[in-house]
Amino acid sequence: MEQPEITYCSPEMEQTGLFWMPMQQAEQGLDGLLGDLELSLENGTACRLQMENYRARDDDAVLILKLLEEPRDEADLDEWLSGGLHPSLCHQQMECRKSGRRGARKRRTSPWDTLFFRDIPSQRSGGYIRRNNSHWTSKEVKLLVQGVSKFGVGRWSQLKKNYFKTSVRTAVNLKDKWRNLLRAYKGNVQKYTLLELEPPLVEQIRKLGAKHPYPKQRHS
DNA sequence: CTAGGGTTATGG
DNA sequence: CCATAACCCTAG
């Protein structure tokens, strides 16, 4: 059963390259302010509602990015952060609560979370903060494959610079994703894959994978 | 910076 | 429950 494809980013937001990222609830710095906007995806209404939610939050994101570009007083920013949330957001927040059972959880938090709260001390037992847990979109994968075919495997920093300049994905993320792609599409079919990719794309992945094997193999 | 082993969250 | 995806750690 496939979940409906949802467009998380408004065009403006997409341009910024910042995407909504799921995070562990305890780590959501703005959790108290925004509330968690989890929604059931079970019916169309909830789905639509969710998109509106994201839309509203996108507006906020774009706004705050503007604030960043033309820096003002910190107090100004503080005030905006603590109170001046997008009106449509408060409205939506109550609306979405009533949806019934939860479907797949799409925990997301706003981009400014990582911009402003990345240094908040963490209580995690692991000792580190997990910043981004979002699943890759097929768009991103396409970009990655494109990048790998241009730069080859191993020049992740270059690839990041040229193809994921503004994305939240780091060079290491790209590398890891590539590894996962190889694992996922090499040889036997997996039991399941979260993201269905177009056959041509898969074909390209396989080809590139054959060229730069992982894990390293000492000959053919 | 990258490779690769480890760890944690996700979701069938 | 457990395989997979996403993420972290770190030697070299």
Side-chain angles (χ1 to χ4, degrees), chain A residues 8-206:
Chain A
Y8 292 111
C9 300
S10 63
E12 299 95 314
M13 191 56 200
E14 193 144 30
Q15 278 188 356
T16 71
L18 292 166
F19 302 100
W20 300 103
M21 301 164 288
M23 285 183 109
Q24 200 157 5
Q25 229 166 7
E27 296 161 3
Q28 292 181 356
L30 285 179
D31 196 39
L33 296 175
L34 296 180
D36 89 288
L37 293 174
E38 292 172 5
L39 281 179
S40 164
L41 286 177
E42 280 187 347
N43 57 61
T45 307
C47 189
R48 186 184 53 75
L49 250 179
Q50 186 173 40
M51 292 188 61
E52 286 173 10
N53 256 330
Y54 287 141
R55 170 72 214 186
R57 296 174 71 175
D58 278 2
D59 290 343
D60 278 335
V62 172
L63 213 163
I64 202 171
L65 283 173
K66 275 186 190 143
L67 283 182
L68 278 179
E69 270 168 23
E70 40 182 294
R72 315 177 174 200
D73 295 326
E74 265 182 46
D76 228 17
L77 204 60
D78 266 358
E79 191 188 331
W80 191 88
L81 276 174
S82 54
L85 291 178
H86 202 284
S88 62
L89 203 141
C90 310
H91 163 68
Q92 296 287 347
Q93 190 167 345
M94 300 203 259
E95 291 273 352
C96 68
R97 275 311 191 165
K98 63 180 191 240
S99 52
R101 277 176 47 250
R102 356 187 102 181
R105 288 174 37 125
K106 297 279 185 203
R107 291 179 307 187
R108 309 197 137 230
T109 185
S110 40
W112 54 81
D113 216 27
T114 43
L115 290 178
F116 293 104
F117 297 96
R118 66 167 65 245
D119 289 329
I120 284 183
S122 156
Q123 281 78 20
R124 308 228 68 235
S125 47
Y128 59 84
I129 304 177
R130 204 178 189 84
R131 305 206 143 81
N132 182 340
N133 207 32
S134 62
H135 282 276
W136 282 59
T137 66
S138 69
K139 220 184 209 171
E140 286 176 300
V141 173
K142 257 178 223 154
L143 257 188
L144 178 60
V145 172
Q146 199 178 343
V148 167
S149 55
K150 271 278 192 296
F151 289 109
V153 177
R155 303 174 58 190
W156 308 112
S157 207
Q158 270 297 314
L159 209 159
K160 158 86 177 166
K161 240 186 248 169
N162 288 272
Y163 288 81
F164 292 80
K165 183 85 179 183
T166 54
S167 167
V168 285
R169 310 298 181 188
T170 70
V172 173
N173 288 157
L174 302 181
K175 183 257 310 173
D176 284 332
K177 182 57 185 178
W178 181 252
R179 177 167 56 169
N180 281 339
L181 283 177
L182 291 190
R183 282 173 175 169
Y185 292 102
K186 205 177 241 182
N188 327 355
V189 188
Q190 275 193 178
K191 293 197 158 91
Y192 64 89
T193 47
L194 254 53
L195 186 61
E196 211 61 58
L197 295 179
E198 298 91 332
L201 194 57
V202 173
E203 201 44 47
Q204 201 170 359
I205 291 175
R206 290 200 142 117

Side-chain angles (χ1 to χ4, degrees), chain A residues 204-217:
Chain A
Q204 201 170 359
I205 291 175
R206 290 200 142 117
K207 265 184 193 162
L208 293 168
K211 232 177 144 178
H212 306 272
Y214 174 89
K216 283 198 171 155
Q217 289 161 18

